[in-house]
Amino acid sequence: MKTITRIWKVNGEEKTVKVPPMRRLLDVLREDLGLKGAKEGCGEGECGTCTVLINGAPMVSCLIPAGQVRDGTEIMTVEGLEKTEGGRLLQEVYADKGSAQCGFCIPGMILSSYALLSRNPNPDEAAIREAHAGNLCRCTGYQKIVEAVQAAARKWPGNK
Amino acid sequence: MTVAENSRKGLVGRGVSRVDASDKVRGLARYADDLDVPGCWHGVIVRSPVSRGTLRSVKLDPACDASKAVVVTAQDIPGPNIVVMHDRAMPLLAFDEIRYIGEPLAVVAAPTRRQAIEVAEHVRIEIDELPAILTTAELVRKFKAGELKTGVEQNAPRGVGGFAGGAPESPDVLCSQSIVKGDVEKGFAEADQIVEAEYTAGHQEQLYIEPQGLVAIPQKDGGILIEGSMQCPYYIQHELHEALNLPAGKLRVRQAAVGGAFGGKEEFPSMLAGYCALPAMKAKKPVKIVYDRHQDILYTTKRHPVWVRHKTGVKKDGTITALKVDFLLDGGAYLTLSDVVMYRGILHAAMGYRCDHVFVNGIVGRTNTFPSGAFRGFGAPQAIWGVESHVDALARACGMTPHEFRLKNCLRVGDTTPTGMVLRDSVGSPAVLEEALKTSRFADKFAKCSRGRKGARKWYGIGLSFFAHGSGFTGDGESKIGTKVALDLGFENASPVVFIRVSSTEMGQGALTVLSQMAADGLGVDLDRVRYPLPDTGLVPNSGPTVASRTTMVVGSTVYSAACKLRQRLEESAGRPIAGSKSFEQIASKYLAEHGPLRVVEAFKLPDTVRWDQATFRGDAYPAFAWGCNVAEVEVDTRTLEIKVKKVTACFDVGRVINPVLVKGQVEGGLTQALGYAVMEKIGIKGGRFDANRMQTYVIPTALDVPEYDITFVEYPYEFAAPGAKGVGEMPMDGLAPAIANAIEAATGIRMTDLPITPEKLFKEVTTKCAKDAK
Ligand code: FES
Ligand code: FES
């Protein structure tokens, strides 16, 4: 099968992958790069568990063919969060507020939080809900997610 | 000793962070599909394309090269072809009569999923099709026509698989059971008026976000290890070891991280484990099956559809004189555990209110559809949907407000339930009702409801529900199953820690944290001295399944008393008390050095006063009841008839709250599932098949759909299970749907009796009402 080579910056490190162009980014991350944090809840772009940040924007990796991700693209998965100040903060408040129950939605959810706060460090509740509307959670009822994002916003790097 | 005195570390009642949070927020928790199993093959299931028929043959097309695959059919099953469940009637793979579309006929396994699919496409099936019953509506029609014969008509004691001494029940009846208190006909004779109505609800999908997934790994000793997503490791062993012809101990079951379950991973994994284990045994390779979302929605259990009919006698002053309830569940093609779902249903169908004359008739009917199964609440939400909708109708019939009527009639200390249980201890009624009415300012708001007022842009309504939920297994079941727990004192990196050994699983509800809190509290140490590895039947005793809101109350209290015992043993050996983690470390290290590892085993016991007669369904139906009251406020757009649930105020008595942060989160999540059940989640049967198969067609609430939640707790500890927790997991699923329906009636003047309540259904009713009003 025809493969292509791509060089991406994954969680801050340069990674070279050789993959069939139509292989899903989710599979490349999970299987080729061993980043099992991203999850498959539906495979159809509806649940958001496979969310990763592509150049800072949350995207569902189950719908992205690896060939479409250009060389030099920055990809951040849940495993990369702790390398950033905001990411560590989010992990801390998610833990404190009891925002992760079964945890299956969390890798995607917390990346959506990170993308939101990076873009808008002072979101109101409506903006928070909007930013997480693509991440389904069956456990929490979302309240504890909203509370975590609000708490993180109060301490977000650059916010005083 | 009071709970406060007993609590050594003050960990009980504290909102400590979840012990599994760190792994989960870092993406390190390993779920079924994340397990790295070298050389693992993939399994694919070949299913029946018809709802009912006789299977003539299942064969691989000889032209197909299957040298790199294995194909298993019923002939390959080493033991009896059954998944045990409650009646030993469901085959692991169909071999004779096929009873539902999608019923597994064969499993193909190969080194890759693609190879397995290719071979599976070459499996040829011959079936003679037979007529089938496909809908709950058809069961209801039969019931009304007197065609569903149960023990009631024939006056005989009933149960699973017919009843003692009588003729068998109709083939469309999987089981039946009644509850009798007083004489319901006498009660009707005393009534000033009789109020009758029917309520219905369809299937509900658990829609845990992690799909079902298991792997079966052949072991050197000839046994099999099952690992993956599940609620009840010992269930898998019990349901399956006969079919696999293995001694129970050689079917070892280990839980991986579980991405939500809600009952959906209670009994279904026992079937899936079989589909993995059979080809694994034949190929002598590990075989895994992880469902994609389509398969998961189409081919796993759902909440039972229900039809419930209430006939109630009331006096002018609002006294209830008679409660008669027919409660019919659609069990799907096999009984599995539907009898117990129905039992919980009938035990809650007339619960909550004082009445001397009660008759509840419970039936599980059979249709040729996927077997219905466990889902948070286990029959209670269906029952409470009926009774709490109906109570509003009763209030109106008596000219009373819904809250006055409930306050007048609700069960209180000293009252008797439908099974004759006298409520004595830990009764959060009417406290939850009073508290929720007060915090929501119900009376004021109820007076301001729109009631379908003409000319408004939006209609406002408020409604409530009040209910109890039995904690743990029915009757003396908790004593009978002999819940066992063990605590192991040992070293970890040269410092002493205590390992909790129980079969209770973490599936998001917080068991790891709450049980760790209870153990640490009993020991008098900090949380970091306690470990709670995910259960593995090779290492933990059987503490029962992780179901029925029993884990914190039953397993937790047993862990707590084991911890107290362990502390005592250590203190006795040291001759001084454990005062915090430091002194624990000294005392425990010394003990371990001198005597080696220490295990304390403890079993759960109910007080002898609990009495239950399973044959007559009389007595103490549950060790304790938790209590709840939900208030819903809705807004209905008068043009689109879109229903927006704006606010939910809820008060619960779940006994002693062990972790206030976790319990709130669990309740918010449960209420959100109940919101979905009430107004969003819709899945029907079309041609015998579920008519939704993806998250786009089976729609659950998102962050934008949930209302504001105002949740409070009143604590009436259960004193026979220190530190006093009752069940909580299922409660938030119980009462929101009727509260919303009641609010919708207050908003629109229309009573909706079928779930989910969608704008389309509401539109139909509004149009009918307009036409009627115009006449
Ligand atoms: S797995 Fe990608 S959105 Fe669900
Ligand atoms: S925490 Fe379970 S799905 Fe969100």
Side-chain angles (χ1 to χ4, degrees), chain A residues 39-50 60 62:
Chain A
K39 305 288 177 223
E40 177 166 348
C42 71
E44 302 185 316
E46 285 155 13
C47 72
T49 56
C50 64
V60 284
C62 70

Short mmCIF file of all heavy atoms in Angstrom, two decimals, chain A residues 39-50 60 62, ligand 1:
data_model
loop_
_atom_site.label_atom_id
_atom_site.label_comp_id
_atom_site.label_asym_id
_atom_site.label_seq_id
_atom_site.Cartn_x
_atom_site.Cartn_y
_atom_site.Cartn_z
N LYS A 39 -9.28 8.95 22.42
CA LYS A 39 -10.17 7.78 22.47
C LYS A 39 -11.12 7.78 21.29
O LYS A 39 -11.42 8.83 20.72
CB LYS A 39 -11.02 7.84 23.74
CG LYS A 39 -10.25 7.95 25.03
CD LYS A 39 -9.56 6.66 25.36
CE LYS A 39 -8.73 6.79 26.62
NZ LYS A 39 -7.42 6.14 26.49
N GLU A 40 -11.64 6.60 20.99
CA GLU A 40 -12.66 6.51 19.96
C GLU A 40 -14.01 6.17 20.58
O GLU A 40 -14.24 5.06 21.02
CB GLU A 40 -12.30 5.44 18.92
CG GLU A 40 -13.40 5.30 17.88
CD GLU A 40 -12.99 4.51 16.64
OE1 GLU A 40 -11.78 4.27 16.48
OE2 GLU A 40 -13.89 4.17 15.85
N GLY A 41 -14.88 7.18 20.63
CA GLY A 41 -16.21 6.95 21.19
C GLY A 41 -17.25 6.71 20.11
O GLY A 41 -18.31 6.15 20.37
N CYS A 42 -16.97 7.16 18.89
CA CYS A 42 -17.97 6.97 17.84
C CYS A 42 -17.35 6.78 16.46
O CYS A 42 -17.94 6.14 15.60
CB CYS A 42 -18.95 8.14 17.80
SG CYS A 42 -18.23 9.67 17.17
N GLY A 43 -16.20 7.37 16.22
CA GLY A 43 -15.58 7.24 14.90
C GLY A 43 -16.28 8.03 13.81
O GLY A 43 -16.00 7.85 12.64
N GLU A 44 -17.21 8.91 14.21
CA GLU A 44 -17.99 9.63 13.20
C GLU A 44 -18.08 11.13 13.45
O GLU A 44 -18.98 11.79 12.96
CB GLU A 44 -19.40 9.06 13.12
CG GLU A 44 -19.41 7.60 12.80
CD GLU A 44 -20.81 7.04 12.60
OE1 GLU A 44 -21.71 7.38 13.40
OE2 GLU A 44 -20.98 6.28 11.66
N GLY A 45 -17.20 11.62 14.30
CA GLY A 45 -17.20 13.06 14.53
C GLY A 45 -18.30 13.58 15.44
O GLY A 45 -18.60 14.77 15.44
N GLU A 46 -18.90 12.68 16.22
CA GLU A 46 -20.05 13.13 17.00
C GLU A 46 -19.82 13.22 18.50
O GLU A 46 -20.56 13.89 19.19
CB GLU A 46 -21.24 12.20 16.72
CG GLU A 46 -21.85 12.48 15.37
CD GLU A 46 -22.59 11.30 14.78
OE1 GLU A 46 -22.85 10.34 15.52
OE2 GLU A 46 -22.89 11.34 13.58
N CYS A 47 -18.81 12.55 19.03
CA CYS A 47 -18.68 12.49 20.48
C CYS A 47 -17.54 13.34 21.02
O CYS A 47 -17.54 13.73 22.18
CB CYS A 47 -18.52 11.06 20.96
SG CYS A 47 -16.91 10.35 20.58
N GLY A 48 -16.54 13.61 20.22
CA GLY A 48 -15.45 14.47 20.67
C GLY A 48 -14.39 13.82 21.53
O GLY A 48 -13.46 14.48 21.98
N THR A 49 -14.46 12.49 21.75
CA THR A 49 -13.45 11.86 22.61
C THR A 49 -12.09 11.80 21.93
O THR A 49 -11.08 11.62 22.58
CB THR A 49 -13.83 10.41 22.99
OG1 THR A 49 -14.04 9.67 21.80
CG2 THR A 49 -15.06 10.36 23.83
N CYS A 50 -12.08 11.92 20.60
CA CYS A 50 -10.83 11.82 19.85
C CYS A 50 -10.23 13.21 19.58
O CYS A 50 -9.31 13.34 18.78
CB CYS A 50 -11.09 11.12 18.52
SG CYS A 50 -12.20 12.10 17.50
N VAL A 60 -11.63 16.82 15.59
CA VAL A 60 -11.87 15.40 15.85
C VAL A 60 -10.97 14.55 14.95
O VAL A 60 -11.12 14.54 13.74
CB VAL A 60 -13.36 15.03 15.68
CG1 VAL A 60 -14.16 15.52 16.88
CG2 VAL A 60 -13.96 15.57 14.40
N CYS A 62 -10.76 11.49 14.45
CA CYS A 62 -11.31 10.31 13.77
C CYS A 62 -11.75 10.63 12.36
O CYS A 62 -11.97 9.74 11.56
CB CYS A 62 -12.46 9.70 14.56
SG CYS A 62 -13.96 10.71 14.59
S1 FES C 1 -14.47 9.31 17.96
FE1 FES C 1 -14.11 11.09 16.89
S2 FES C 1 -15.80 12.26 17.38
FE2 FES C 1 -16.28 10.39 18.29
#
